[in-house]
Amino acid sequence: MGADGKIDVHLDVPTAGYAGRLEVLEGPTGRRVRSEADRARIAAESLMPGVQVAAVARKHGATRWQVYDWRRRLRQGQLALPESMAPMFAPLMVEESSAPQRTMRPPKSTPAKVEIVIDDMVIRTTVDLEHLAQVIRAVRASR
């Protein structure tokens, strides 16, 4: 605003005083107002395997950065999928068996012969299979 309260207009024209024709359009600003459900639906569509975010954004008239933002908000729980798109799960059905179950005993640990060679040193030992994984981790850690 100028000092006199009027709007200052600066035009890039070579002739002083003539600006050409100025047309004022009224109506929507061109910005789309999407509901939270629409945003969540578009974000979920972009998360499908093999789908490109740019293609989804173009299809819905959005920018890919908007879609990335909606995806982030969907992951953080700020957007919720409509119930029609919510994942559906099959109910778990468990049948009672008429035969009595036997109590299972854990299998006995079988000893295994292990030979560890590190440079010119050889370590030979017998290890229970349960402890073999611990021995292997210790050897790897010593490297």
Side-chain angles (χ1 to χ4, degrees):
M1 289 250 198
D4 57 357
K6 294 182 181 177
I7 298 176
D8 289 332
V9 177
H10 300 284
L11 301 173
D12 251 354
V13 291
T15 58
Y18 180 72
R21 184 173 152 201
L22 179 64
E23 189 174 343
V24 177
L25 299 175
E26 292 185 21
T29 61
R31 300 180 88 182
R32 291 200 172 111
V33 179
R34 290 187 170 85
S35 67
E36 295 289 317
D38 285 342
R39 293 175 186 172
R41 185 180 46 76
I42 294 169
E45 182 181 338
S46 74
L47 290 170
M48 300 300 289
V51 174
Q52 293 181 345
V53 174
V56 172
R58 228 182 348 265
K59 175 181 170 185
H60 294 285
T63 66
R64 59 191 166 133
W65 302 115
Q66 284 176 312
V67 176
Y68 282 125
D69 182 56
W70 298 337
R71 288 168 59 157
R72 178 186 54 80
R73 292 176 56 202
L74 186 65
R75 278 191 306 268
Q76 292 175 347
Q78 296 172 354
L79 283 178
L81 286 174
E83 292 204 20
S84 62
M85 292 188 71
M88 296 173 54
F89 295 97
L92 175 64
M93 305 204 43
V94 179
E95 292 182 12
E96 296 281 334
S97 65
S98 59
Q101 293 183 348
R102 291 185 239 162
T103 58
M104 298 184 69
R105 288 179 280 165
K108 285 189 172 183
S109 179
T110 309
K113 293 182 179 179
V114 177
E115 185 174 293
I116 302 170
V117 179
I118 302 173
D119 294 331
D120 59 343
M121 181 174 54
V122 178
I123 301 171
R124 290 183 189 100
T125 185
T126 304
V127 178
D128 289 334
L129 288 178
E130 296 172 3
H131 300 287
L132 186 57
Q134 293 174 353
V135 172
I136 291 171
R137 279 190 220 108
V139 170
R140 285 184 179 162
S142 70
R143 292 184 178 180

